Amino acid sequence: MLVNGTWSDDWQPVQSADDAGRFVRQTSRFRHWITPDGRPGPEGDGGFEAEAGRYHLYVALICPWASRTLMARRLKGLEDLITVSVVEPVLTRKGWRFGDFPGADRDMLNDTLYLHEIYTRVAPDYTGRATVPVLWDKKRRTIVNNESADILRMFGSAFDRLTGNTLDLYPRDLRGAIDTLNEDIYAGLNNGVYRAGFASSQGAYDEAYEAVFTTLDTLEARLSDGRRFLFEERLTESDIRLFVTLVRFDAAYHGLFKCNRNLLAQMPALSRYTRRMFALPGVADTVDMTHIRTGYYSIEALNPSRIVPSGPADLPGAPAPG
Ligand SMILES: N[C@@H](CCC(=O)N[C@@H](CS)C(=O)NCC(=O)O)C(=O)O
């Protein structure tokens, strides 16, 4: 991580822990919002008006948080308006790196090798982890926002006047219910799997494992009536937030993060749902099983040999076995 703008060599992929060994995720620092007219959003400064070609997204395809923003970019038809760079899947001792791994990019925009250089360019005294996603403003040469939940929400509506896209990922009448469900999915599942994987005590792991499978059981029951999405026929940001964790579950969380009561493939409604989401136009392009597998299993603290398992077979988006 960065400490006062300098890369610290004792960086660990495992984030901080509390006294009981529970994994603690850092809060994001850059919280400005792109809005249709440049007025400030719920947090941060104004001056970030929705414009074609002005913004750039730095992502990792291994990362569920970054993948939320990539999915929203596709589903909201923002591909021609917002450019993207993908880091390599392996988190190095200096954090995310740009390079030649298939499906990754060089940083053509800021000409950096490591993502942390982008953070210090904007905040020379930055202390914290240099995380993806990063939403970059080419005009003001600064970071707009590095919190995926914010980026997902602003992509949901800020550019609608430019794109004419009317898909409403956060409809007014569902907002309360979406916020509650997002919170449950975040605590029990999105972050729950990380709490299981990065727990540093048995008690913290047990607690997280319990939360993960309680949440999955609740969602399996909710989807068993055959509904297409979490809110019946309406695709919302909750679906995006759920999908990014489900699609990684059997490939990474079941094995590496020890969330192994069962595979997602053994939960019929959730499996059907995951494939349905995967089949939505453009979504498959945001899922790269090679990046996901290589990236997660390269976390040395959890997998010292860094051997990438071959199975399980038949994952959505995985290259055919052979
Ligand atoms: N709250 C952030 C979390 C992002 C995050 O934790 N990203 C991870 C990858 S999945 C990361 O970049 N980690 C780098 C590090 O910890 O040094 C968000 O949702 O945007």
Side-chain angles (χ1 to χ4, degrees):
M1 61 179 277
L2 288 161
V3 180
N4 295 325
T6 304
W7 189 260
S8 146
D9 278 339
D10 72 353
W11 175 87
Q12 290 295 326
V14 176
Q15 305 200 348
S16 33
D18 69 9
D19 291 344
R22 293 190 192 93
F23 162 87
V24 178
R25 186 175 290 283
Q26 89 171 12
T27 48
S28 305
R29 153 135 171 216
F30 298 94
R31 305 299 288 267
H32 311 299
W33 285 62
I34 300 172
T35 57
D37 51 11
R39 270 191 256 174
E43 281 182 85
D45 304 332
F48 299 99
E49 191 176 339
E51 282 176 51
R54 174 167 168 183
Y55 300 98
H56 188 83
L57 200 53
Y58 287 103
V59 296
L61 297 178
I62 156 185
C63 175
W65 320 100
S67 296
R68 297 167 164 187
T69 67
L70 265 188
M71 272 180 82
R73 173 176 171 269
R74 293 304 297 251
L75 291 168
K76 290 293 299 179
L78 298 171
E79 302 96 293
D80 295 337
L81 279 70
I82 299 171
T83 45
V84 174
S85 306
V86 177
V87 296
E88 294 190 317
V90 174
L91 198 54
T92 73
R93 296 200 76 81
K94 288 187 174 356
W96 298 117
R97 193 179 64 186
F98 299 97
D100 297 331
F101 191 98
D105 299 309
R106 299 264 165 191
D107 177 18
M108 305 305 270
L109 195 58
N110 284 303
D111 196 30
T112 64
L113 183 54
Y114 292 98
L115 185 77
H116 70 76
E117 299 167 55
I118 291 168
Y119 277 77
T120 45
R121 200 161 287 191
V122 172
D125 62 340
Y126 184 81
T127 294
R129 309 179 77 88
T131 54
V132 281
V134 171
L135 180 59
W136 176 261
D137 180 356
K138 300 178 200 172
K139 196 162 163 181
R140 289 172 62 177
R141 307 197 55 75
T142 194
I143 297 175
V144 183
N145 198 302
N146 71 332
E147 171 51 51
S148 63
D150 293 354
I151 300 171
L152 168 58
R153 186 149 303 163
M154 66 183 94
F155 282 6
S157 60
F159 294 86
D160 286 4
R161 265 208 316 245
L162 299 175
T163 59
N165 183 300
T166 53
L167 171 66
D168 190 353
L169 295 172
Y170 192 51
R172 210 161 275 281
D173 60 312
L174 290 179
R175 286 185 183 176
I178 290 175
D179 289 343
T180 306
L181 189 58
N182 284 352
E183 187 43 45
D184 292 347
I185 292 174
Y186 174 81
L189 196 61
N190 301 138
N191 201 41
V193 293
Y194 279 83
R195 288 194 290 121
F198 290 138
S200 48
S201 74
Q202 185 70 47
Y205 163 76
D206 292 343
E207 191 179 281
Y209 174 98
E210 180 68 31
V212 165
F213 285 99
T214 305
T215 308
L216 284 177
D217 286 342
T218 307
L219 293 166
E220 173 74 13
R222 181 177 183 130
L223 292 165
S224 328
D225 63 4
R227 63 180 70 198
R228 278 181 78 203
F229 302 116
L230 289 165
F231 292 97
E232 319 266 345
E233 290 303 300
R234 296 156 85 183
L235 176 73
T236 67
E237 59 174 56
S238 302
D239 294 296
I240 295 177
R241 294 167 65 121
L242 175 58
F243 172 77
V244 293
T245 296
L246 295 182
V247 80
R248 288 164 175 73
F249 197 87
D250 289 353
Y253 307 145
H254 178 272
L256 187 74
F257 283 4
K258 309 187 187 83
C259 293
N260 58 1
R261 189 192 76 184
N262 55 261
L263 290 161
L264 189 78
Q266 293 163 294
M267 304 187 89
L270 279 168
S271 296
R272 276 196 302 275
Y273 169 83
T274 306
R275 285 175 196 276
R276 189 178 308 130
M277 288 291 295
F278 186 81
L280 293 174
V283 170
D285 298 340
T286 70
V287 179
D288 187 318
M289 272 304 157
T290 305
H291 277 237
I292 291 171
R293 283 178 149 144
T294 312
Y296 277 103
Y297 279 94
S298 72
I299 302 175
E300 228 175 313
L302 300 182
N303 183 35
S305 74
R306 306 179 91 170
I307 291 169
V308 181
S310 311
D314 196 25
L315 296 168

